[in-house]
Amino acid sequence: MPLVQVNAVNIYYERHGEGDSPPVLFIRGTGADGTRWMPQVNAYKSEVPCVIFDGRGAGRSDTTAAPYTVEQMAGDTIALMDHLELESAHISGSSLGGAIGLYMAAHHPERVRTLQLHSSWLATKGFAAYSLGILKKILLAGGADFYYAVTLPLLFSPTYMMNNFDDLMAILAHMKANPATDDGLLGQIEANLTHDLSNDVSRVRAPTLITVGELDYLRRVSCSQELQQAIDGSELVIFPGCGHLATMESSEEFNTTTLDWLRPHL
């Protein structure tokens, strides 16, 4: 089991693909373990090495006391890169993972070759703060297992859930089999709630792709539009009919779109 101690916490990671070129480093969102990136890893790994990992508090990584911050979790990611002797990587982050990637691009630009921000946001305010507050209340009311079951309808479009119920239940089973701890999930939610890179985003210089599902309830399209306006030269793709997890709901379209964008930068 590949574990590395960084910042006094053991982080689980996996490497996929061959070659010594800078990899894609995938950063998952709140409460999610790194294996939720496997639909992307399986599509990418023949063209570029890939690294996935479980963030502090989730999956097979250690849990530390809440709260966490985006800065702290970005520090974990940089330390993991140091351990793997990666001078730089292509960063792809989903939701909270996007916030972590954005922090890295703003504060450690030499480590970020390209940046992909999926279903992410610039600062927690307005509806983003409201929806995250709901997630925290769900966790405190029933713990992590309850949280995964109750929040599932917030992650996917109604059409997907109705037409792919067996797949949906398999995703829920995977979430529960590779969960965050209660404390780890709380810590990550707190990192969401305090996220604000409004004053730092102008430092981002990496080529940036922003994607979002048209029907994303948790990070509305307007969140991604705000990111596009804030990051010079960034591109925005909206996946029609998709919810928060386009990486899973429409993985084939997502993979084609993101790989086509990435190839010129490899």
Side-chain angles (χ1 to χ4, degrees):
M1 182 181 296
L3 285 168
V4 57
Q5 187 172 83
V6 300
N7 301 332
V9 61
N10 288 313
I11 296 293
Y12 175 86
Y13 70 93
E14 297 177 7
R15 304 185 80 160
H16 297 267
E18 303 295 332
D20 297 325
S21 60
V24 177
L25 178 61
F26 292 99
I27 312 174
R28 203 68 217 191
T30 306
D33 75 304
T35 62
R36 289 202 222 169
W37 284 114
M38 288 310 297
Q40 285 66 57
V41 169
N42 288 332
Y44 278 53
K45 67 183 180 180
S46 64
E47 300 188 40
V48 59
C50 300
V51 177
I52 58 176
F53 69 100
D54 297 347
R56 171 188 300 253
R60 286 161 282 191
S61 292
D62 286 350
T63 294
T64 57
Y68 308 160
T69 66
V70 166
E71 178 181 5
Q72 178 186 39
M73 298 183 76
D76 293 344
T77 309
I78 292 292
L80 175 62
M81 291 177 65
D82 290 342
H83 170 78
L84 298 176
E85 299 182 344
L86 300 176
E87 293 183 2
S88 62
H90 303 278
I91 302 300
S92 180
S94 175
S95 196
L96 175 59
I100 293 166
L102 184 61
Y103 185 95
M104 292 169 63
H107 291 270
H108 304 277
E110 74 284 357
R111 310 302 294 267
V112 179
R113 299 179 73 89
T114 64
L115 179 64
Q116 295 184 41
L117 305 175
H118 309 299
S119 304
S120 201
W121 79 117
L122 179 60
T124 300
K125 58 187 177 182
F127 183 77
Y130 174 79
S131 63
L132 284 163
I134 290 175
L135 297 186
K136 182 177 178 179
K137 289 177 181 178
I138 292 170
L139 173 64
L140 294 176
D145 196 66
F146 178 73
Y147 173 94
Y148 288 121
V150 172
T151 60
L152 196 66
L154 305 180
L155 303 178
F156 297 94
S157 70
T159 299
Y160 178 83
M161 290 187 287
M162 291 297 293
N163 294 340
N164 301 275
F165 184 72
D166 289 344
D167 290 343
L168 190 71
M169 291 299 98
I171 290 170
L172 178 59
H174 180 85
M175 291 176 175
K176 290 185 175 183
N178 301 275
T181 62
D182 287 9
D183 286 345
L185 190 48
L186 178 61
Q188 291 194 7
I189 291 173
E190 294 289 359
N192 283 267
L193 285 166
T194 57
H195 170 56
D196 187 350
L197 288 174
S198 302
N199 295 326
D200 307 305
V201 68
S202 62
R203 304 178 188 176
V204 175
R205 294 292 179 265
T208 301
L209 174 66
I210 301 162
T211 77
V212 65
E214 178 188 21
L215 303 180
D216 192 333
Y217 170 80
L218 294 172
R219 301 291 183 276
R220 306 299 293 175
V221 170
S222 59
C223 293
S224 290
Q225 291 170 332
E226 184 178 28
L227 282 169
Q228 184 192 26
Q229 292 166 5
I231 301 173
D232 288 344
S234 61
E235 301 176 42
L236 173 62
V237 174
I238 300 171
F239 294 111
C242 282
H244 187 61
L245 294 183
T247 55
M248 305 178 80
E249 180 171 340
S250 187
S251 59
E252 185 172 340
E253 181 182 8
F254 179 92
N255 295 342
T256 298
T257 298
T258 55
L259 262 176
D260 285 350
W261 179 86
L262 181 62
R263 284 190 187 99
H265 303 289
L266 295 178

